[in-house]
Amino acid sequence: MVGNVSAPPVVGVVDAPYAVAENEVLAGLGSDAVNGLSEDEAVRRLSRYGPNTLAAVRGRGPFVRFLLQFHSPLIYVLLAAALITALLGERVDAVVIGGVVVVNALVAFVQEAHAEKALAALAELTRTFATLIRDGTSHQVPSDGLVPGDLVLLQAGDKVPADVRLVEATNLRIDESALTGESLPVAKDPQARPGAVLADRRDMAFSSTLVTQGTGRAVVTATGAATEIGLIHRLVDQTAAVATPLTRKMARFSQLITVVVLVLAVVTFVIGILRGQDAAGMLTAAVALAVGAIPEGLPAVVTITLALGVSRMARRGAIMRRLPAVEALGSTTVICTDKTGTLTENKMTVTRVIAGGRTFEVTGTGYAPTGTFLTGGAETHSVANPALRACLLAGIACNDARLNPAGDDWEVVGDPTEGALLAAAGKAGLEAPTRLDVIPFSSDQQYMATLHPGGVLYVKGSLERVLDMCDAQIGPDGTPEPFDRPQIGEAAHGLGSQALRVLAFARANVEGSARLTGPLPRLTFLGLQAMHDPPRADAARAVPIAPLRELPEL
C-alpha cells in the first residue's frame, strides 16, 4: 500500500528543506555554505546512514524461482498423473510426463535468469561521480560516498547525485523528466517554496536528474532510499505482479480443463467399478484418460514461443523480466507516448531563419555545424548578408550551451535549443563574442540578455516579449529601418503553423557600460530562428499508425 511507505528520517531537523531558507537548512544539517562537512564528520554520517545507493530489489532465490515455474493448475494435474503412473509401475509414461513438465520449467527459469542478469548490469551503469566540498576543498568522489550535509557543486552535464537544497544557482536548469515527466528543463533558484508540490520545488534538485545548463552549489538533504527516486524504487518493489491477457486466459483455460478432466476421470473410474471392473485397471484407465485429455505440450509450447519473443525483443534492446510481458506488449492496440526524445531525436535543429525581410532555409540536421543557407533555392553566405549574420551572431552570443564532438556525431552540453543555435551559427563560421555580463533567462521575464565589448547588447527570447522591447528592425543591408510588427508577427505565425519552435533576437548599443543594470534600452529587431526536433528514423516503422476505423473505442 502506498500509504504505508515512508521515507527514512533525514539528518537534522529540516523536515521540508524546500520550505525554509537555505541558511536554516544548512544549520539544521550541521553544514557550512563555504567549507561543507569535515572528513571525520562525513565518515561518521556514512557509517550511520549508509551509502548513497538504492537497495537491491528483494528478489526470489533461484530455488524459489524454479519452483514457481510449476505454479499452474495444468502442471499440478500433470505432476499428479506422473506420480500415479509411477506408483502403478508405468515408468515410461511417468518419465515422459515428468520430462515435459521439467523442460517447461527449465526454459522459463533460464529466461528469467537472463533477464535478472541484464537488469543487474543496467543498475551498475547508474554509478556516477560527484564534485563536493569538504574541509573547504573540492573533491570528486563516487556518488555512493555522499552523506546528508555534504556541499556539492553542480554544472552542465552533471547528474544530480542525491536530493539537494540549492544554496547558490547561476542560470541553473535541470532536466527532471525522469522524476516528474516534465520534458523541458526546469529553471532553479535558491528561493524557498513553502507548500510547493514536488514539480514546483525550484529550490531543490533531485537524485538522478540531469543538469542541462548553468552552475549551482547545494547541500545534500537526502541520500539513498530517502530520496524521491528512492521512494519510487520502494513503491516499485512493493508492486504486485499484474496478470497479462495471456496469463488470465491460460488460468481460465487451465481451471476449466482441469475440472472437466478430473470429472471425466472420476466418472470413468466409478462407472468401471459399478460394472465390476478391476479397481487397479480402472485407476490406470482413469489416469490414462486424464493424461491423454490434458494438453501437456501446451505449457511447453507457450513457454518456448514467449521465450523466442523475449529473445527477439532483447536483440532490439528491450529487456523483459517475465515471459508473459512480451505477449502483453504484443497485444497493445493504443500507445500513448511522450514525443520529445521518444518519437523524436531530442536534437533541435534550426531549419528557417528570417532576417532583413528574407527567409533562409538551413540545411543539415542534428548538432553538427555543417550545412548551408538557401534563399530562393540558391546558396547564401552569411558574410554577404549582414542581417542573416547579425541574427545568427545573436543566437550564439545569448547562449550557455556548448557543442562537443562525439565520434562521428556532435553532442550538446546544456539546453538542446541553445545547442541548435550554436550549430546554426557554426554553419556560418561564426564564433561567440567575449561576454562581459549576462541577464539569465527566466520564465518570468522570458528573455536572456548578454553584454559584449563595444557596448553591444544582444537579447534572445519569446516573440511577444522581444517585440515589446523593439522600436526598429534591421534591413537587408544591416541598417535600421522602421519597425513593422504586424509583418513580423505574420511571419512567425507561418513558422509556428509548421510545428516549428520560434525564437526572436534583437540588439542595442549601451556605450560606456560593462554591467547590465537597470531596464534595458529600446532594441532593434534582428530576426527569427525556427527549429524543430526531427523524428527518429525508425519511429514510423516501429509504431505504424493504424487507420482510424481500426482503432478501438476508448
Side-chain angles (χ1 to χ4, degrees), residues 368-436:
T370 55
T372 58
F373 298 87
L374 306 176
T375 178
E379 183 174 345
T380 299
H381 295 284
S382 63
V383 176
N385 193 294
L388 173 61
R389 182 180 180 84
C391 185
L392 294 174
L393 191 58
I396 197 174
C398 290
N399 207 304
D400 288 320
R402 66 178 186 271
L403 295 178
N404 295 329
D408 296 333
D409 200 1
W410 290 73
E411 63 179 10
V412 62
V413 178
D415 187 87
T417 299
E418 294 190 341
L421 299 177
L422 290 180
K427 295 171 184 179
L430 300 178
E431 295 183 358
T434 301
R435 181 187 295 183
L436 301 178

Side-chain angles (χ1 to χ4, degrees), residues 317-372:
I319 299 173
M320 305 286 178
R321 175 178 287 182
R322 301 283 183 261
L323 288 179
V326 71
E327 182 274 336
L329 183 62
S331 300
T332 301
T333 55
V334 177
I335 298 176
C336 301
T337 178
D338 174 60
K339 175 181 71 68
T340 304
T342 305
L343 299 180
T344 64
E345 295 182 0
N346 197 22
K347 293 182 178 180
M348 301 297 291
T349 303
V350 174
T351 59
R352 299 282 192 282
V353 178
I354 295 181
R358 302 173 66 183
T359 300
F360 302 88
E361 296 185 13
V362 187
T363 65
T365 60
Y367 298 121
T370 55
T372 58

Side-chain angles (χ1 to χ4, degrees), residues 43-419:
V43 170
R44 284 193 292 270
R45 294 191 182 189
L46 185 62
S47 63
R48 179 182 178 186
Y49 294 97
N52 177 34
T53 56
L54 297 180
V57 176
R58 296 190 304 272
R60 305 182 181 96
F63 181 69
V64 174
R65 283 192 285 114
F66 180 71
L67 290 182
L68 286 175
Q69 309 307 323
F70 299 93
H71 183 51
S72 168
L74 281 178
I75 300 299
Y76 294 155
V77 174
L78 290 175
L79 289 175
L83 177 61
I84 293 173
T85 52
L87 294 176
L88 294 175
E90 302 293 339
R91 297 181 179 178
V92 175
D93 291 342
V95 170
V96 170
I97 298 171
V100 170
V101 173
V102 172
V103 168
N104 171 73
L106 284 174
V107 170
F109 174 77
V110 170
Q111 178 56 47
E112 286 192 11
H114 284 320
E116 294 287 347
K117 289 181 180 179
L119 291 171
L122 289 177
E124 288 296 321
L125 296 178
T126 61
R127 181 184 175 93
T128 60
F129 287 83
T131 302
L132 55 79
I133 296 177
R134 286 181 182 166
D135 290 323
T137 305
S138 64
H139 307 270
Q140 190 173 57
V141 300
S143 58
D144 55 11
L146 289 178
V147 297
D150 262 329
L151 193 65
V152 299
L153 303 178
L154 303 174
Q155 62 180 356
D158 288 349
K159 178 180 285 188
V160 180
D163 284 3
V164 298
R165 171 63 162 87
L166 294 174
V167 177
E168 298 176 2
T170 303
N171 202 23
L172 185 64
R173 300 177 73 85
I174 297 180
D175 179 0
E176 296 183 339
S177 56
L179 184 64
T180 65
E182 172 58 52
S183 60
L184 298 178
V186 179
K188 297 288 186 176
D189 63 74
Q191 183 179 354
R193 262 80 173 182
V197 297
L198 180 67
D200 293 333
R201 294 172 188 172
R202 302 296 179 90
D203 56 338
M204 298 286 295
F206 301 102
S207 176
S208 299
T209 58
L210 183 66
V211 180
T212 62
Q213 181 177 317
T215 59
R217 181 183 296 233
V219 59
V220 175
T221 58
T223 60
T227 62
E228 294 295 335
I229 203 73
L231 174 60
I232 295 175
H233 185 268
R234 295 196 306 279
L235 292 174
V236 170
D237 189 16
Q238 296 179 8
T239 301
V242 178
T244 67
L246 178 64
T247 56
R248 289 195 295 266
K249 291 177 182 177
M250 287 293 294
R252 289 195 298 267
F253 176 74
S254 298
Q255 294 170 357
L256 176 62
I257 198 170
T258 299
V259 172
V260 171
V261 168
L262 290 178
V263 169
L264 290 177
V266 171
V267 170
T268 301
F269 179 78
V270 171
I271 291 176
I273 295 298
L274 294 177
R275 296 183 61 183
Q277 300 293 328
D278 177 62
M282 289 310 303
L283 183 59
T284 302
V287 170
L289 173 63
V291 174
I294 291 178
E296 61 271 9
L298 179 61
V301 170
V302 170
T303 300
I304 293 172
T305 302
L306 292 178
L308 290 174
V310 168
S311 298
R312 292 179 180 178
M313 293 296 291
R315 287 196 293 270
R316 298 191 177 193
I319 299 173
M320 305 286 178
R321 175 178 287 182
R322 301 283 183 261
L323 288 179
V326 71
E327 182 274 336
L329 183 62
S331 300
T332 301
T333 55
V334 177
I335 298 176
C336 301
T337 178
D338 174 60
K339 175 181 71 68
T340 304
T342 305
L343 299 180
T344 64
E345 295 182 0
N346 197 22
K347 293 182 178 180
M348 301 297 291
T349 303
V350 174
T351 59
R352 299 282 192 282
V353 178
I354 295 181
R358 302 173 66 183
T359 300
F360 302 88
E361 296 185 13
V362 187
T363 65
T365 60
Y367 298 121
T370 55
T372 58
F373 298 87
L374 306 176
T375 178
E379 183 174 345
T380 299
H381 295 284
S382 63
V383 176
N385 193 294
L388 173 61
R389 182 180 180 84
C391 185
L392 294 174
L393 191 58
I396 197 174
C398 290
N399 207 304
D400 288 320
R402 66 178 186 271
L403 295 178
N404 295 329
D408 296 333
D409 200 1
W410 290 73
E411 63 179 10
V412 62
V413 178
D415 187 87
T417 299
E418 294 190 341

